[in-house]
């Protein structure tokens, strides 16, 4: 009887890198585990108790991983892995090539540019990625049909919200708010002068004032998203969860790699575009969204259905085929 497939996930999470890479790897790891595969995370989870808890609560081992490709390949041999998933902007470009030379199947998660990383299989889950040219001949899974969603999101649904006179607003910027922008967007919400009830998720506590409550990163985020009349966030990995739930969303961006997703979603009308700063124009748009339930829900309607929740199943199928 063949032993179960073992897959290593090489990704990091921390104040600078954020937790988006970890979250989407966790989603794929959940799917693989459900199919009987073994998984182990290789990397560093620094400065985020929430990120460490994601692995601990799911029973996913975390092994410190060397940066050097040859030493990483040696560790993969020691752990008896069959495949390695690479999800990092900071790995040496030859990491994938070294792992493949050592006979490991390699899946690289990318956001457009593969950054010189060699792999047997590439995944770019960004909306519209299937229409963009890819510089390598290798097989690529591209587009939102491959979006990786966690169990905690896939089992949740959102009832269409009514036209409440006091809408509920959720504001968050990843698990670490690496750009430190949460206070500025809290001020922008307060500056609208419109009634609302706000929750801002921030790893660094601050006094927001007005009708806003600031809370630390929480496992209740999918629940809070599903209950919100409007979410204010950046165009990072959480956007796929919001599209799946059909939550009206107002987007900004805090990193250059988020701009492609921002422009695609705003261009489709699947989200309202706030621009890159919490200035007067963004405050005015937030005021209009808070005052107009129909306008909010139209964004949610256009986004709903773009992500069907089965992306991780398709990715797992493709990965297990090459193991």
């Amino acid at each position: 009887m063949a032993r179960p497939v073992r897959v290593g996930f090489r990704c990091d999470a921390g104040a600078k890198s954020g937790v988006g890479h970890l979250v989407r790897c966790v989603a794929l790891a959940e799917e693989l585990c459900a199919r009987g595969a073994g998984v182990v995370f290789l990397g560093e989870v620094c400065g985020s108790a929430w990120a460490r808890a994601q692995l601990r609560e799911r029973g996913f081992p975390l092994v410190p991983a060397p940066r050097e490709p040859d030493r990483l390949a040696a560790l993969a041999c020691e752990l008896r892995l069959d495949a390695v998933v690479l999800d990092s902007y900071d790995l040496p470009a030859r990491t994938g090539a070294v792992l493949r030379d050592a006979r490991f199947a390699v899946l690289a998660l990318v956001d457009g540019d593969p950054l010189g990383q060699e792999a047997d299989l590439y995944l770019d889950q960004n909306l519209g990625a299937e229409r963009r040219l890819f510089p390598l001949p290798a097989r690529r899974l591209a587009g939102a049909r491959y979006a990786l969603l966690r169990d905690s999101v896939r089992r949740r649904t959102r009832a269409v919200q009514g036209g409440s006179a006091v809408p509920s607003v959720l504001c968050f910027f990843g698990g670490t708010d690496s750009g430190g922008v949460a206070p500025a967007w809290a001020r922008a919400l307060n500056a609208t002068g419109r009634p609302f009830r706000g929750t801002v998720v921030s790893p660094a506590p601050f006094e927001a004032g007005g009708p806003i409550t600031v809370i630390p990163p929480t496992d209740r985020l999918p629940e809070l998203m599903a209950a919100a009349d409007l979410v204010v966030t950046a165009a990072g990995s959480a956007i796929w969860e919001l599209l799946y739930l059909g939550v009206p969303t107002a987007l900004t961006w805090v990193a250059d790699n988020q701009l492609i997703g921002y422009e695609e979603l705003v261009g489709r009308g699947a989200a309202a575009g706030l621009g890159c700063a919490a200035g007067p124009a963004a405050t005015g748009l937030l005021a209009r969204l808070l005052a107009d339930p129909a306008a909010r829900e139209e964004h949610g309607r256009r986004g709903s259905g773009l992500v069907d929740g089965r992306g991780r199943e398709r990715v797992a199928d493709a990965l297990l085929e090459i193991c």
Side-chain angles (χ1 to χ4, degrees):
M1 186 175 184
R3 69 174 179 83
V5 169
R6 287 180 55 79
V7 180
F9 289 82
R10 177 64 180 92
C11 65
D12 296 318
K16 291 184 178 180
S17 59
V19 298
H21 300 286
L22 177 71
V23 167
R24 59 190 186 185
C25 284
V26 162
L28 181 56
E30 288 176 335
E31 180 66 27
L32 292 170
C33 281
R35 300 184 185 206
V39 302
V40 58
F41 279 73
L42 313 170
E44 300 293 340
V45 181
C46 302
S48 174
W50 180 87
R52 291 191 294 272
Q54 302 312 296
L55 302 183
R56 183 176 62 252
E57 291 168 3
R58 291 169 173 82
F60 295 158
L62 174 64
V63 177
R67 176 175 170 79
E68 297 80 359
D70 294 293
R71 292 179 58 201
L72 179 62
L75 177 62
C77 287
E78 179 183 332
L79 295 171
R80 301 183 65 200
L81 301 181
D82 300 288
V84 179
V85 177
L86 303 177
D87 191 0
S88 172
Y89 299 149
D90 299 323
L91 290 176
R94 58 188 289 269
T95 302
V98 170
L99 288 167
R100 294 183 72 218
D101 286 345
R103 306 300 183 189
F104 297 105
V106 176
L107 165 62
L109 275 65
V110 301
D111 296 293
D113 188 347
L115 301 176
Q117 206 61 260
E118 185 177 317
D120 300 285
L121 181 66
Y122 294 88
L123 166 62
D124 185 344
Q125 64 177 3
N126 289 287
L127 194 65
E130 68 277 13
R131 302 193 307 273
R132 292 188 280 273
L133 294 176
F134 193 64
L136 299 172
R139 184 181 176 192
R140 179 179 63 139
L141 310 177
R145 70 182 261 100
Y146 298 103
L148 304 173
L149 300 183
R150 296 169 291 161
D151 286 337
S152 58
V153 176
R154 297 209 314 166
R155 59 175 173 250
R156 189 162 295 281
T157 58
R158 176 182 184 263
V160 176
Q161 307 296 301
S164 170
V166 184
S168 172
V169 180
L170 175 66
C171 181
F172 66 92
F173 300 93
T176 62
D177 186 18
S178 58
V181 299
W185 287 103
R187 289 192 296 271
L189 284 166
N190 281 331
T192 64
R194 300 288 184 180
F196 70 94
R197 299 184 307 275
T199 300
V200 175
V201 182
S202 174
F206 66 94
E207 289 293 332
I212 294 176
T213 300
V214 179
I215 65 172
T218 173
D219 283 339
R220 294 181 56 238
L221 192 59
E223 173 189 341
L224 295 173
M225 288 191 293
D229 295 297
L230 177 68
V231 169
V232 178
T233 190
S237 58
I239 192 63
W240 315 119
E241 300 176 348
L242 292 163
L243 291 172
Y244 174 73
L245 294 169
V247 181
T249 302
L251 284 183
T252 180
W253 76 89
V254 296
D256 290 343
N257 66 292
Q258 295 176 347
L259 186 56
I260 293 176
Y262 173 91
E263 292 177 338
E264 184 80 27
L265 289 163
V266 173
R268 290 184 182 218
L274 296 171
C276 65
T283 299
L285 177 54
L286 288 172
R288 292 192 292 275
L289 292 171
L290 292 174
D292 190 343
R296 292 195 304 266
E297 289 299 327
E298 178 63 14
H299 288 302
R301 185 192 67 77
R302 292 186 180 188
S304 180
L306 292 176
V307 174
D308 67 4
R310 299 189 59 195
R312 72 186 211 178
E313 299 171 31
R314 300 180 183 105
V315 176
D317 287 342
L319 176 58
L320 292 175
E321 282 178 6
I322 64 173
C323 287

